């Protein structure tokens, strides 16, 4: 059963950036570490509730920079959080996970493969253009053909405009979770004229949407900035129709070091800290001026995944031996300081259809037997890839490295920035990887299809390069069948096969770990980890 994970957080203060509003079309991308892009001055002093202009300025620190800001050019949480501020979708899911209007005011189904959407009229893009059915058709067809987000969008057969404010969407086959996928940021509506004018890559760095904030500035590796879109005239959960955000200026500073992020929050240089490291949680809990938020979400935040196309991980006995050799309970207790919980399967238990499997036992003798049977009694050398800015995964990697020495497995830890990790693992350059997945629709389909269906090798999600024809069949059955019981049974069997064949070892089921100054109010955090800065205010 889906669980309501929509909770109110808090957030704000400011940095004394003296930054103007820029033009309606967006800001200038600069590549230097700091320094002056258009409309940008040097940073200095503490965060305040406004600069000399009297604007309300919120400063956020987080560990990673989005690789780009286009909805269909990547599938990563840092980008999704920004995209949710810049763009809008046809429908939203509210705090009860019910579907509510977004850029579509209403919809109906003509048959099992056809839905018709009536569009909100007069909605304005950040460049001043008015949204029409042509933009929606362009956006959905573009999303449906993108290899980067195909796991969420490849149900789309064709979108066509019936008139300026009506769109018919047909699916490749009957698709039960259609509305949940249309609420995903990958199906955000872009301005056709702007994308065709500047091209995909440039649009990924200077995006144009209809959302409550517009893109202002981007300093590669250092920060990106959004400003309130004062012509916002649509709806979004948390804002009444016609209501503008209280925040006028959002600065997201990239600070990879966990302890430094905490200091920035403590000293007032930031109002909100996104993705608190487990090692910093108690420190923030104990701080009188800060609030720590620990919220269950839809994520198996970290698993140890194998590239099953590469020897020796193409042998199930090696994968099973590693599962017997690592101590998951110890890893979670130390690396994640006991926060969240041990992952109990490929789906988080917060998602409907998830099965709770037993925690895999530690059995070194059985692990050695399996290694010998597979021809690796003397062990081997391998690597594990993970992203920078995540101290918990780094600690987990170090512990796994030590535990695997009992099998004479020598593991090199490779830590990469997000922009290297994603394409590298998509290309299969890794042996093992510590990564994770958020089932952001709240539907089991999106936790299984991207990661384990053979259609999705590489960038679409299946970085294990795992293929089992029965699993493919079961996942497909769950996608096309509208009978709830049939879907749940298909997902149950698929999970059992996956846990037996073990392309991954689930480690940690996440909680959202964020922190803010005590005077921040109105920030909602959903199960996908998206923070609604549009509803934030200073108390």
């Amino acid at each position: 059963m889906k669980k309501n994970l929509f909770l109110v957080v808090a957030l704000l203060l400011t940095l004394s950036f003296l930054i103007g509003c820029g033009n309606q079309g967006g800001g200038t991308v600069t590549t230097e570490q700091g320094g002056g892009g258009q409309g940008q001055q040097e940073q200095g002093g503490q965060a305040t509730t406004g600069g000399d202009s009297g604007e309300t300025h919120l400063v956020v620190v987080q560990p990673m920079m989005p690789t780009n800001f286009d909805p269909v050019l990547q599938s990563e949480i840092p980008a999704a959080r920004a995209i949710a501020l810049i763009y809008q979708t046809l429908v939203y899911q509210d705090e009860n996970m019910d579907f509510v209007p977004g850029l579509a005011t209403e919809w109906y189904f003509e048959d099992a493969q056809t839905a018709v959407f009536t569009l909100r009229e007069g909605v304005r893009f950040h460049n001043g253009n008015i949204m029409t059915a042509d933009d929606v058709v362009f956006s959905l067809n573009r999303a449906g053909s993108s290899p980067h987000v195909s796991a969420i969008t490849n149900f789309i057969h064709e979108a066509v405009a019936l008139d300026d404010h009506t769109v018919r969407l047909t699916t490749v086959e009957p698709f039960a979770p259609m509305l949940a996928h249309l609420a995903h940021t990958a199906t955000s509506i872009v301005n056709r004229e702007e994308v065709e004018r500047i091209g995909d890559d440039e649009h990924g760095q200077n995006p144009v949407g209809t959302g409550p904030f517009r893109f202002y500035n981007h300093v590669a590796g250092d920060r990106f900035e959004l400003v309130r879109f004062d012509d916002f005239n649509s709806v979004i959960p948390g804002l009444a129709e016609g209501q503008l955000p209280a925040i006028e200026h959002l600065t997201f500073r990239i600070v990879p070091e966990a302890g430094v992020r905490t200091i920035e929050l403590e000293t007032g240089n930031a109002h909100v800290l996104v993705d608190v490291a487990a090692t910093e949680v108690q420190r923030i809990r104990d701080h009188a001026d800060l609030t720590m938020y620990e919220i269950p979400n839809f994520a198996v935040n970290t698993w140890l995944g194998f590239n099953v196309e590469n020897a020796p991980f193409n042998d199930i006995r090696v994968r099973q031996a590693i599962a017997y050799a690592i101590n998951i309970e110890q890893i979670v207790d130390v690396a994640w300081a006991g926060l969240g919980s041990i992952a109990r399967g490929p789906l988080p238990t917060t998602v409907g259809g998830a099965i709770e499997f037993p925690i895999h036992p530690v059995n070194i003798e059985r692990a050695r037997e399996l290694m010998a049977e597979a021809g690796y009694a003397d062990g081997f050398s391998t690597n594990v890839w993970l992203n920078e800015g995540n101290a918990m995964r780094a600690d987990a990697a170090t512990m796994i490295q030590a535990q695997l020495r009992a099998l004479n497995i020598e593991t090199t830890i490779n830590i990469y920035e997000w922009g290297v990790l994603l394409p590298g693992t998509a290309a299969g350059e890794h042996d093992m990887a510590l990564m994770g997945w958020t089932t952001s629709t709240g539907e089991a389909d999106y936790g299984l299809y991207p990661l384990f269906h053979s259609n999705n090798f590489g960038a679409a999600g299946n970085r294990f390069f795992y293929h089992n024809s029965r699993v493919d069949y079961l996942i497909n059955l769950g996608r096309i069948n509208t009978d709830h019981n049939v879907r749940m049974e298909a997902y149950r069997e698929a999970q059992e096969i996956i846990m037996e064949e073990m392309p991954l070892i689930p480690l940690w089921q996440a909680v959202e770990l964020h922190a803010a100054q005590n005077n921040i109010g109105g920030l909602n955090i959903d199960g996908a980890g998206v923070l609604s800065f549009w509803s934030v205010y200073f108390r």
Side-chain angles (χ1 to χ4, degrees), residues 166-335:
T166 312
V167 170
R168 176 187 286 130
L169 177 64
T170 56
T171 60
V172 175
E173 55 193 354
F175 186 63
M178 177 201 289
L179 289 178
H181 283 229
L182 289 175
H184 192 281
T185 54
T187 63
S188 296
I189 305 306
V190 302
N191 180 221
R192 177 175 186 168
E193 177 182 313
E194 188 72 12
V195 174
E196 291 184 338
R197 183 180 70 84
I198 64 177
D200 288 351
D201 291 342
E202 179 63 20
H203 186 257
Q205 301 303 319
N206 284 284
V208 171
T210 65
F213 291 94
R214 62 180 177 83
F215 193 78
Y216 175 69
N217 192 41
H218 172 203
V219 181
D222 183 72
R223 66 184 176 272
F224 66 95
E225 300 172 68
L226 309 177
V227 295
R228 186 175 68 192
F229 179 42
D230 287 338
D231 287 332
F232 178 70
N233 58 352
S234 184
V235 298
I236 194 167
L239 287 183
E241 188 163 2
Q243 182 182 1
L244 293 176
I247 301 305
E248 295 179 278
H249 193 150
L250 277 167
T251 295
F252 294 84
R253 293 173 47 218
I254 310 307
V255 181
E257 300 81 8
V260 176
R261 292 197 299 275
T262 303
I263 292 171
E264 291 294 282
L265 191 66
E266 288 175 330
T267 58
N269 285 325
H271 308 116
V272 181
L273 196 172
V274 173
D275 293 333
V276 176
T279 53
E280 303 295 306
V281 168
Q282 192 59 50
R283 174 176 170 180
I284 293 172
R285 285 174 179 165
D286 293 340
H287 198 293
D289 298 324
L290 305 179
T291 300
M292 182 69 218
Y293 299 91
E294 304 167 47
I295 303 168
N297 66 13
F298 295 144
V300 174
N301 178 273
T302 300
W303 33 253
L304 178 65
F306 304 103
N307 183 343
V308 301
E309 284 195 330
N310 288 352
F313 299 114
N314 58 348
D315 192 318
I316 189 173
R317 294 168 295 186
V318 172
R319 304 195 298 269
Q320 291 172 337
I322 289 176
Y324 278 118
I326 66 173
N327 189 325
I328 299 174
E329 293 183 80
Q330 185 182 75
I331 290 168
V332 170
D333 188 55
V334 174

Side-chain angles (χ1 to χ4, degrees), residues 354-373:
I355 298 176
E356 292 192 35
F357 292 88
I359 299 169
H360 204 285
V362 179
N363 188 332
I364 297 299
E365 290 309 311
R366 178 59 182 148
R368 288 172 177 159
E369 290 173 3
L370 287 165
M371 288 284 284
E373 291 173 15

Side-chain angles (χ1 to χ4, degrees), residues 109 154 248 391 476 491 499 510:
F109 291 89
N154 69 358
E248 295 179 278
N476 287 338
Y491 294 145
M499 288 300 288

